[in-house]
Amino acid sequence: MADTPATTDDPFDLYAVDSSQIRTGRYQDALADLTRQQFEDYKKRYLPVQEKLFSLATDDSLLTEQLERNQQNIDSNFKVAKESEDRQLARFGVSAANSKQDNNNNNLLKSLTTASVNNETRSSVDDLQNKILTGQGGATSTLADIGNV
């Protein structure tokens, strides 16, 4: 079985070594060439991912995106609850009392819900960013799952 030379174009080949660029005269030269190739591969494949991860850990983009999703979810859930209440009361031939007090209570509940959800989000994003920076396990998988309900 003939050995085929490894191609460096395959992004999934973890051990792609361009043997034509390795000096074989001395062990130190071969080791130095291999180390240089590994470092270039690291800079090309892994460093951009690591830099993106650290940028997510140090800026507020995750928090801003999640706070926007929180507001959309809260608005949607309150709308669904209001429609459900209206349908339920309509079965009895009664309409919802859209009094000023009812609207005030609804707005107060919505504001408290928003504050609570946003505070929990801030705490969770801070924990996630700390895990990314300290290298604690599971941070990258948690990062991938943000916003996926």
Side-chain angles (χ1 to χ4, degrees), residues 19-31:
S19 58
S20 66
Q21 299 293 321
I22 297 177
R23 297 172 286 174
T24 57
R26 295 184 347 187
Y27 171 77
Q28 294 88 352
D29 293 338
L31 186 59

Side-chain angles (χ1 to χ4, degrees), residues 3 60 65 73 94 104:
D3 288 299
D60 289 336
E65 291 173 12
N73 290 338
V94 181
N104 286 343

Side-chain angles (χ1 to χ4, degrees), residues 58-71:
T58 56
D59 66 10
D60 289 336
S61 63
L62 289 176
L63 179 62
T64 303
E65 291 173 12
Q66 188 59 43
L67 290 177
E68 290 171 3
R69 284 190 293 266
N70 287 350
Q71 192 59 50

Side-chain angles (χ1 to χ4, degrees), residues 6-26:
T7 61
T8 57
D9 295 335
D10 184 6
F12 301 107
D13 186 6
L14 297 178
Y15 302 105
V17 174
D18 186 4
S19 58
S20 66
Q21 299 293 321
I22 297 177
R23 297 172 286 174
T24 57
R26 295 184 347 187

Side-chain angles (χ1 to χ4, degrees), residues 3 26 30 32 34 52 56-57 65 68 78 84 88 93 103-104 134 136 146:
D3 288 299
R26 295 184 347 187
L34 281 172
K52 172 125 173 87
L56 288 173
E65 291 173 12
E68 290 171 3
F78 270 82
S84 175
Q88 187 176 12
N103 288 336
N104 286 343
T134 59
Q136 292 179 356
I146 283 185

